[in-house]
Amino acid sequence: MKAVRTDRELECPEIDAGLRARGVELVTLPDGISEEALALEVAEADLLMMCYTPITEPVIAAATRLRGIVKYGVGIDAIDIPAAMARGIPVVNVPEYAEETVAEGAFALMIALARRMPEIGRAIQSEGWVWPAQRWLGRDIAGATLGLVGAGKIGRSMARMAGQGFRTRVLGYDPHVDTQTMAAAGIEKIDDLHAMLRQCDFLSLHCVLNDATRHVIGQAELACLKPGAILVNVSRGALIDEAALVEAVLAGRLGGVGLDVYSQEPLTRQDHPLSPLFGRDDVILFPHLTFFTAEAMRRLSDDTLARCFEVLDGKPVQIRSHDPRLRAQTRNVVFA
Protein backbone atom coordinates (compact mmCIF):
# COMPACT_ATOMS: atom_id res chain seq x y z
CA MET A 1 0.00 0.00 0.00
CA LYS A 2 1.07 3.57 -0.59
CA ALA A 3 0.58 6.57 1.69
CA VAL A 4 1.36 10.21 0.91
CA ARG A 5 2.04 12.74 3.67
CA THR A 6 2.17 16.42 2.79
CA ASP A 7 3.88 19.17 4.77
CA ARG A 8 6.97 17.13 5.63
CA GLU A 9 8.51 20.22 7.25
CA LEU A 10 6.33 19.30 10.21
CA GLU A 11 8.39 16.38 11.45
CA CYS A 12 6.32 13.37 12.53
CA PRO A 13 8.84 10.57 13.08
CA GLU A 14 6.48 8.32 15.03
CA ILE A 15 3.78 8.53 12.37
CA ASP A 16 6.25 7.84 9.56
CA ALA A 17 7.89 4.96 11.42
CA GLY A 18 4.53 3.45 12.37
CA LEU A 19 3.37 3.34 8.76
CA ARG A 20 6.64 1.95 7.45
CA ALA A 21 6.58 -0.73 10.15
CA ARG A 22 3.28 -1.88 8.64
CA GLY A 23 4.94 -2.25 5.26
CA VAL A 24 3.41 0.91 3.81
CA GLU A 25 5.29 2.75 1.09
CA LEU A 26 5.40 6.30 2.45
CA VAL A 27 6.05 9.37 0.31
CA THR A 28 6.50 12.72 2.08
CA LEU A 29 6.00 15.96 0.18
CA PRO A 30 7.11 19.52 0.96
CA ASP A 31 4.98 22.50 1.85
CA GLY A 32 4.04 24.50 -1.22
CA ILE A 33 3.83 21.56 -3.61
CA SER A 34 1.75 22.42 -6.64
CA GLU A 35 -1.70 20.99 -7.21
CA GLU A 36 -0.45 19.22 -10.33
CA ALA A 37 2.53 17.61 -8.60
CA LEU A 38 0.38 16.52 -5.68
CA ALA A 39 -2.19 15.00 -8.03
CA LEU A 40 0.54 12.95 -9.69
CA GLU A 41 1.82 11.65 -6.34
CA VAL A 42 -1.60 10.61 -5.04
CA ALA A 43 -2.71 8.95 -8.27
CA GLU A 44 -1.88 5.50 -6.86
CA ALA A 45 -2.09 6.31 -3.16
CA ASP A 46 -4.33 4.41 -0.75
CA LEU A 47 -3.99 7.00 2.01
CA LEU A 48 -3.45 10.76 1.99
CA MET A 49 -2.31 12.59 5.10
CA MET A 50 -2.23 16.38 5.16
CA CYS A 51 -1.74 19.24 7.57
CA TYR A 52 -1.73 22.53 5.64
CA THR A 53 -1.53 21.68 1.92
CA PRO A 54 -4.85 22.25 0.09
CA ILE A 55 -6.55 19.03 -0.96
CA THR A 56 -8.65 20.19 -3.90
CA GLU A 57 -11.22 18.51 -6.09
CA PRO A 58 -8.69 17.88 -8.91
CA VAL A 59 -6.33 16.20 -6.43
CA ILE A 60 -9.13 13.99 -5.11
CA ALA A 61 -10.29 13.17 -8.64
CA ALA A 62 -6.76 12.04 -9.57
CA ALA A 63 -6.53 9.69 -6.58
CA THR A 64 -8.34 6.71 -8.06
CA ARG A 65 -7.27 4.29 -5.29
CA LEU A 66 -7.70 6.63 -2.34
CA ARG A 67 -9.37 5.10 0.73
CA GLY A 68 -9.19 8.02 3.14
CA ILE A 69 -7.86 11.50 3.90
CA VAL A 70 -6.42 12.02 7.38
CA LYS A 71 -5.73 15.52 8.67
CA TYR A 72 -2.98 15.13 11.24
CA GLY A 73 -4.29 18.10 13.16
CA VAL A 74 -7.61 19.84 13.68
CA GLY A 75 -8.54 22.33 10.95
CA ILE A 76 -10.17 20.92 7.81
CA ASP A 77 -10.66 24.15 5.84
CA ALA A 78 -8.09 23.16 3.20
CA ILE A 79 -9.89 19.91 2.23
CA ASP A 80 -12.64 19.81 -0.39
CA ILE A 81 -14.87 17.62 1.74
CA PRO A 82 -17.84 17.57 -0.68
CA ALA A 83 -15.53 16.23 -3.41
CA ALA A 84 -14.31 13.49 -1.08
CA MET A 85 -17.86 12.63 0.01
CA ALA A 86 -18.94 12.33 -3.61
CA ARG A 87 -16.33 9.62 -4.01
CA GLY A 88 -17.12 7.92 -0.70
CA ILE A 89 -13.66 8.82 0.64
CA PRO A 90 -13.80 9.43 4.39
CA VAL A 91 -12.15 12.57 5.78
CA VAL A 92 -11.05 12.56 9.40
CA ASN A 93 -9.09 14.87 11.68
CA VAL A 94 -7.48 14.54 15.11
CA PRO A 95 -9.44 17.05 17.19
CA GLU A 96 -8.47 16.31 20.78
CA TYR A 97 -4.70 16.02 20.95
CA ALA A 98 -3.85 19.64 21.85
CA GLU A 99 -6.86 21.27 23.51
CA GLU A 100 -5.05 22.05 26.76
CA THR A 101 -1.78 22.62 24.92
CA VAL A 102 -3.13 25.34 22.62
CA ALA A 103 -4.94 27.02 25.50
CA GLU A 104 -1.64 27.10 27.40
CA GLY A 105 -0.01 28.67 24.34
CA ALA A 106 -2.69 31.35 24.15
CA PHE A 107 -2.27 32.11 27.83
CA ALA A 108 1.51 32.26 27.43
CA LEU A 109 1.14 34.87 24.67
CA MET A 110 -1.30 36.84 26.78
CA ILE A 111 0.83 36.96 29.90
CA ALA A 112 4.02 37.67 27.93
CA LEU A 113 2.37 40.71 26.34
CA ALA A 114 0.81 41.86 29.61
CA ARG A 115 4.19 41.80 31.37
CA ARG A 116 6.11 43.12 28.33
CA MET A 117 8.43 40.14 28.43
CA PRO A 118 9.65 40.19 24.81
CA GLU A 119 10.79 43.80 24.85
CA ILE A 120 12.27 43.64 28.36
CA GLY A 121 14.10 40.46 27.38
CA ARG A 122 15.55 42.13 24.31
CA ALA A 123 16.55 45.18 26.32
CA ILE A 124 18.43 43.22 28.97
CA GLN A 125 20.22 41.22 26.27
CA SER A 126 21.48 44.43 24.68
CA GLU A 127 21.93 46.63 27.76
CA GLY A 128 22.77 44.13 30.50
CA TRP A 129 20.19 45.57 32.93
CA VAL A 130 17.09 47.74 32.93
CA TRP A 131 15.67 49.73 35.82
CA PRO A 132 11.96 50.13 36.62
CA ALA A 133 10.92 52.86 34.20
CA GLN A 134 7.52 53.79 32.82
CA ARG A 135 8.30 52.22 29.46
CA TRP A 136 8.58 48.78 31.10
CA LEU A 137 5.37 49.04 33.14
CA GLY A 138 3.30 45.89 32.79
CA ARG A 139 -0.25 45.07 33.81
CA ASP A 140 -2.05 42.49 35.89
CA ILE A 141 -4.21 39.74 34.47
CA ALA A 142 -5.79 39.15 37.88
CA GLY A 143 -8.94 41.21 38.20
CA ALA A 144 -9.03 42.07 34.48
CA THR A 145 -11.70 41.05 31.96
CA LEU A 146 -10.95 38.45 29.31
CA GLY A 147 -13.26 38.04 26.34
CA LEU A 148 -13.41 34.79 24.38
CA VAL A 149 -14.69 34.49 20.84
CA GLY A 150 -15.48 30.79 20.80
CA ALA A 151 -16.22 28.71 23.89
CA GLY A 152 -15.43 25.21 22.69
CA LYS A 153 -13.00 22.95 24.51
CA ILE A 154 -9.94 25.14 23.95
CA GLY A 155 -11.84 28.29 24.89
CA ARG A 156 -13.18 26.65 28.03
CA SER A 157 -9.67 25.53 28.98
CA MET A 158 -8.50 29.11 28.53
CA ALA A 159 -11.37 30.29 30.73
CA ARG A 160 -10.42 27.89 33.49
CA MET A 161 -6.78 29.01 33.46
CA ALA A 162 -7.74 32.69 33.56
CA GLY A 163 -10.69 32.47 35.93
CA GLN A 164 -9.55 29.90 38.46
CA GLY A 165 -5.84 30.61 38.11
CA PHE A 166 -5.85 34.40 37.90
CA ARG A 167 -9.26 35.50 39.20
CA THR A 168 -10.03 37.00 35.80
CA ARG A 169 -13.59 37.83 34.80
CA VAL A 170 -14.25 35.78 31.67
CA LEU A 171 -16.85 36.73 29.06
CA GLY A 172 -17.75 34.55 26.09
CA TYR A 173 -19.32 35.09 22.68
CA ASP A 174 -20.35 31.87 20.95
CA PRO A 175 -23.80 31.43 19.36
CA HIS A 176 -23.33 27.65 19.41
CA VAL A 177 -22.67 27.20 23.14
CA ASP A 178 -25.51 27.67 25.62
CA THR A 179 -25.52 29.72 28.79
CA GLN A 180 -25.43 26.72 31.11
CA THR A 181 -22.38 25.17 29.42
CA MET A 182 -20.55 28.47 29.57
CA ALA A 183 -21.50 29.05 33.18
CA ALA A 184 -20.17 25.62 34.15
CA ALA A 185 -16.83 26.70 32.65
CA GLY A 186 -16.84 30.02 34.52
CA ILE A 187 -17.81 32.08 31.47
CA GLU A 188 -20.48 34.79 31.31
CA LYS A 189 -22.28 34.34 27.99
CA ILE A 190 -22.65 37.57 25.98
CA ASP A 191 -24.89 37.48 22.91
CA ASP A 192 -23.73 40.79 21.44
CA LEU A 193 -20.11 40.64 20.26
CA HIS A 194 -19.63 44.40 20.24
CA ALA A 195 -21.03 44.69 23.76
CA MET A 196 -18.52 42.11 24.94
CA LEU A 197 -15.59 43.75 23.18
CA ARG A 198 -16.25 47.07 24.88
CA GLN A 199 -15.57 45.36 28.24
CA CYS A 200 -12.41 43.47 27.30
CA ASP A 201 -8.93 44.11 28.65
CA PHE A 202 -7.86 40.94 26.84
CA LEU A 203 -9.43 39.15 23.87
CA SER A 204 -8.62 35.61 22.77
CA LEU A 205 -10.03 33.85 19.69
CA HIS A 206 -10.97 30.16 19.84
CA CYS A 207 -13.53 29.44 17.11
CA VAL A 208 -13.56 27.53 13.86
CA LEU A 209 -13.21 29.32 10.54
CA ASN A 210 -16.28 29.30 8.33
CA ASP A 211 -18.32 31.79 6.33
CA ALA A 212 -19.89 33.17 9.51
CA THR A 213 -16.62 33.68 11.39
CA ARG A 214 -14.32 34.90 8.61
CA HIS A 215 -13.17 38.39 9.66
CA VAL A 216 -15.30 38.15 12.80
CA ILE A 217 -12.80 40.66 14.17
CA GLY A 218 -12.66 43.50 11.68
CA GLN A 219 -12.31 47.25 11.75
CA ALA A 220 -15.57 47.83 13.62
CA GLU A 221 -14.79 45.16 16.22
CA LEU A 222 -11.26 46.42 16.81
CA ALA A 223 -12.71 49.89 17.33
CA CYS A 224 -15.00 48.49 20.02
CA LEU A 225 -12.15 47.14 22.12
CA LYS A 226 -10.94 49.14 25.09
CA PRO A 227 -7.95 51.32 24.21
CA GLY A 228 -4.86 49.31 25.11
CA ALA A 229 -6.59 45.91 24.99
CA ILE A 230 -4.44 42.88 24.20
CA LEU A 231 -5.53 40.55 21.38
CA VAL A 232 -4.46 36.90 21.02
CA ASN A 233 -5.27 34.54 18.15
CA VAL A 234 -4.20 30.88 18.15
CA SER A 235 -7.18 29.61 16.16
CA ARG A 236 -7.32 30.63 12.47
CA GLY A 237 -5.69 33.64 10.86
CA ALA A 238 -8.66 34.64 8.72
CA LEU A 239 -10.82 35.19 11.79
CA ILE A 240 -9.18 38.62 11.81
CA ASP A 241 -9.24 41.21 9.05
CA GLU A 242 -5.46 41.51 8.96
CA ALA A 243 -5.42 44.86 7.14
CA ALA A 244 -7.64 46.32 9.85
CA LEU A 245 -5.42 44.78 12.52
CA VAL A 246 -2.29 46.37 11.07
CA GLU A 247 -4.07 49.71 10.95
CA ALA A 248 -5.12 49.40 14.61
CA VAL A 249 -1.62 48.40 15.74
CA LEU A 250 0.14 51.17 13.82
CA ALA A 251 -2.37 53.68 15.21
CA GLY A 252 -1.51 52.58 18.76
CA ARG A 253 -5.04 51.52 19.65
CA LEU A 254 -4.04 48.10 21.01
CA GLY A 255 -1.86 47.28 23.97
CA GLY A 256 -0.41 44.19 22.32
CA VAL A 257 -1.06 41.46 19.77
CA GLY A 258 -0.04 37.81 19.98
CA LEU A 259 -0.55 35.73 16.84
CA ASP A 260 0.16 32.07 16.14
CA VAL A 261 -1.94 31.78 12.97
CA TYR A 262 -2.16 33.78 9.75
CA SER A 263 -4.39 34.01 6.70
CA GLN A 264 -1.37 33.07 4.58
CA GLU A 265 1.14 30.61 5.98
CA PRO A 266 4.03 30.57 6.27
CA LEU A 267 4.34 34.15 7.44
CA THR A 268 6.98 36.14 5.56
CA ARG A 269 8.83 39.33 6.41
CA GLN A 270 7.82 40.87 3.08
CA ASP A 271 4.75 40.73 0.84
CA HIS A 272 2.42 39.47 3.57
CA PRO A 273 -0.56 41.40 4.96
CA LEU A 274 1.07 41.30 8.40
CA SER A 275 4.63 42.09 7.32
CA PRO A 276 4.42 45.61 8.84
CA LEU A 277 4.18 44.03 12.31
CA PHE A 278 7.64 42.49 12.23
CA GLY A 279 10.08 44.00 14.73
CA ARG A 280 7.49 45.65 16.96
CA ASP A 281 7.79 45.41 20.75
CA ASP A 282 4.02 45.19 21.18
CA VAL A 283 3.57 42.23 18.82
CA ILE A 284 4.50 38.56 19.22
CA LEU A 285 4.51 36.60 15.96
CA PHE A 286 4.66 32.87 16.69
CA PRO A 287 5.06 30.31 13.86
CA HIS A 288 1.87 28.23 14.35
CA LEU A 289 3.53 26.21 17.09
CA THR A 290 1.33 26.63 20.18
CA PHE A 291 0.30 22.98 19.64
CA PHE A 292 3.91 21.77 19.53
CA THR A 293 4.83 20.02 22.77
CA ALA A 294 6.25 16.54 23.34
CA GLU A 295 3.06 15.40 25.02
CA ALA A 296 0.73 16.77 22.35
CA MET A 297 2.80 15.31 19.52
CA ARG A 298 2.71 11.91 21.19
CA ARG A 299 -1.09 12.09 21.35
CA LEU A 300 -1.22 13.31 17.76
CA SER A 301 0.96 10.43 16.57
CA ASP A 302 -1.09 7.80 18.39
CA ASP A 303 -4.45 9.09 17.16
CA THR A 304 -3.24 9.71 13.60
CA LEU A 305 -1.86 6.18 13.30
CA ALA A 306 -5.11 4.76 14.67
CA ARG A 307 -7.09 6.56 11.97
CA CYS A 308 -4.58 5.63 9.25
CA PHE A 309 -4.75 1.95 10.18
CA GLU A 310 -8.55 2.06 10.07
CA VAL A 311 -8.32 3.41 6.53
CA LEU A 312 -5.72 0.89 5.39
CA ASP A 313 -7.50 -2.05 7.05
CA GLY A 314 -10.78 -1.17 5.37
CA LYS A 315 -12.55 -0.45 8.65
CA PRO A 316 -14.99 2.44 9.25
CA VAL A 317 -13.00 5.52 10.20
CA GLN A 318 -13.75 6.94 13.64
CA ILE A 319 -14.89 10.58 13.57
CA ARG A 320 -14.41 12.26 16.95
CA SER A 321 -14.91 15.83 15.77
CA HIS A 322 -18.32 17.46 16.10
CA ASP A 323 -17.68 19.68 13.08
CA PRO A 324 -20.87 19.40 10.97
CA ARG A 325 -18.79 19.12 7.80
CA LEU A 326 -17.32 15.86 9.06
CA ARG A 327 -20.55 14.71 10.69
CA ALA A 328 -22.31 15.00 7.31
CA GLN A 329 -20.37 12.00 6.02
CA THR A 330 -22.41 8.83 5.57
CA ARG A 331 -20.00 6.29 4.03
CA ASN A 332 -17.09 4.41 5.59
CA VAL A 333 -17.26 6.34 8.88
CA VAL A 334 -18.41 5.76 12.45
CA PHE A 335 -19.06 8.56 14.95
CA ALA A 336 -17.57 8.58 18.43
Side-chain angles (χ1 to χ4, degrees), residues 6 35 38 42 48-50 52-60 66 69 78-81 83:
T6 68
E35 182 182 63
L38 178 57
V42 302
L48 174 57
M49 292 173 288
M50 60 78 68
Y52 306 121
T53 297
I55 308 302
T56 61
E57 190 279 332
V59 170
I60 293 169
L66 197 61
I69 300 170
I79 305 172
D80 190 330
I81 296 174

Side-chain angles (χ1 to χ4, degrees), residues 92-134:
V92 64
N93 65 350
V94 182
E96 300 170 339
Y97 78 99
E99 293 163 351
E100 295 281 340
T101 306
V102 172
E104 287 180 5
F107 204 89
L109 290 172
M110 187 172 74
I111 197 168
L113 288 162
R115 303 303 294 270
R116 310 186 77 155
M117 289 179 177
E119 56 187 304
I120 293 174
R122 284 191 289 269
I124 199 167
Q125 288 291 332
S126 63
E127 301 174 27
W129 191 253
V130 295
W131 293 97
Q134 191 69 27

Side-chain angles (χ1 to χ4, degrees), residues 3 17 36 59 64 73-74 85 92 97 112 144-145 148-149 152 165 167 200 211 215 224 243 245 256 260 299 332:
E36 294 78 12
V59 170
T64 56
V74 181
M85 289 175 62
V92 64
Y97 78 99
T145 296
L148 302 175
V149 177
R167 296 186 297 101
C200 292
D211 290 342
H215 290 185
C224 284
L245 178 63
D260 185 46
R299 292 189 292 268
N332 304 315

Side-chain angles (χ1 to χ4, degrees), residues 11-259:
E11 298 177 359
C12 301
E14 292 84 3
I15 295 173
D16 295 350
L19 288 167
R20 289 180 173 132
R22 287 280 301 263
V24 176
E25 175 193 353
L26 176 64
V27 176
T28 60
L29 303 175
D31 174 71
I33 189 169
S34 70
E35 182 182 63
E36 294 78 12
L38 178 57
L40 285 174
E41 287 289 354
V42 302
E44 297 183 353
D46 302 279
L47 170 69
L48 174 57
M49 292 173 288
M50 60 78 68
C51 191
Y52 306 121
T53 297
I55 308 302
T56 61
E57 190 279 332
V59 170
I60 293 169
T64 56
R65 284 174 37 184
L66 197 61
R67 301 185 185 188
I69 300 170
V70 178
K71 164 64 185 273
Y72 56 102
V74 181
I76 54 174
D77 309 303
I79 305 172
D80 190 330
I81 296 174
M85 289 175 62
R87 290 267 314 277
I89 299 169
V91 178
V92 64
N93 65 350
V94 182
E96 300 170 339
Y97 78 99
E99 293 163 351
E100 295 281 340
T101 306
V102 172
E104 287 180 5
F107 204 89
L109 290 172
M110 187 172 74
I111 197 168
L113 288 162
R115 303 303 294 270
R116 310 186 77 155
M117 289 179 177
E119 56 187 304
I120 293 174
R122 284 191 289 269
I124 199 167
Q125 288 291 332
S126 63
E127 301 174 27
W129 191 253
V130 295
W131 293 97
Q134 191 69 27
R135 63 178 296 201
W136 308 124
L137 193 63
R139 58 202 291 188
D140 288 346
I141 293 175
T145 296
L146 166 66
L148 302 175
V149 177
K153 292 182 179 179
I154 297 175
R156 295 198 292 270
S157 292
M158 183 76 167
R160 188 194 68 249
M161 295 172 192
Q164 296 182 23
F166 284 75
R167 296 186 297 101
T168 305
R169 180 190 179 207
V170 182
L171 309 178
Y173 172 79
D174 191 327
H176 306 291
V177 179
D178 60 49
T179 301
Q180 291 74 22
T181 301
M182 285 202 194
I187 305 170
E188 300 175 42
K189 181 175 173 64
I190 306 293
D191 292 323
D192 184 320
L193 176 59
H194 287 190
M196 184 185 80
L197 295 175
R198 284 191 283 269
Q199 303 178 63
C200 292
D201 302 295
F202 301 92
L203 178 67
S204 192
L205 309 187
H206 299 284
C207 59
V208 300
L209 176 64
N210 54 37
D211 290 342
T213 61
R214 186 175 299 275
H215 290 185
V216 66
I217 301 299
Q219 187 176 47
E221 288 73 28
L222 291 166
C224 284
L225 282 169
K226 284 184 178 181
I230 288 174
L231 168 62
V232 170
N233 186 15
V234 299
S235 188
R236 290 292 177 267
L239 296 173
I240 299 176
D241 180 337
E242 292 175 336
L245 178 63
V246 169
E247 180 185 356
V249 171
L250 298 183
R253 295 199 298 272
L254 297 174
V257 175
L259 303 175

